[in-house]
Amino acid sequence: ADAGALVVTGRVVGRDGRPLPAAEVQLRAAVDYRLVAGARADTAGRFAVATTLAGPLYLMAGAVQHDDVAVP
């Protein structure tokens, strides 16, 4: 990532604690909800998304047959 970029890393898991491979992860601007950055989780559910946008963001995660989750 670029110097000064915010890098958000984590792991997407289901309610049972198992990883959700290929889950879609997005960073969205809190002001207008526009897409800032996105990634897909790997086979272990791990992801990394980066942005240089300043300001409040939402982290969104979703997978087929699971409810989407938004975290400010």
Side-chain angles (χ1 to χ4, degrees), residues 10-21 23 25 41 44-47 61 63 66-67 69:
R11 192 164 173 243
V12 183
V13 297
R15 292 176 195 247
D16 60 4
R18 293 183 185 170
L20 297 178
V25 179
R46 293 180 303 242
F47 68 88
H66 289 83
D67 294 333
V69 176

Side-chain angles (χ1 to χ4, degrees), residues 9-11 14-15 17-18 29 35 37 39 48 53 55 57-58 72:
T9 61
R11 192 164 173 243
R15 292 176 195 247
R18 293 183 185 170
L35 179 63
L53 181 70
L57 300 167
Y58 280 100

Side-chain angles (χ1 to χ4, degrees), residues 9-67:
T9 61
R11 192 164 173 243
V12 183
V13 297
R15 292 176 195 247
D16 60 4
R18 293 183 185 170
L20 297 178
E24 183 179 358
V25 179
Q26 300 176 344
L27 284 177
R28 292 190 169 267
V31 177
D32 57 9
Y33 213 62
R34 71 184 155 93
L35 179 63
V36 174
R40 288 237 180 241
D42 67 12
T43 57
R46 293 180 303 242
F47 68 88
V49 289
T51 183
T52 56
L53 181 70
L57 300 167
Y58 280 100
L59 175 70
M60 304 281 302
V64 175
Q65 297 182 353
H66 289 83
D67 294 333

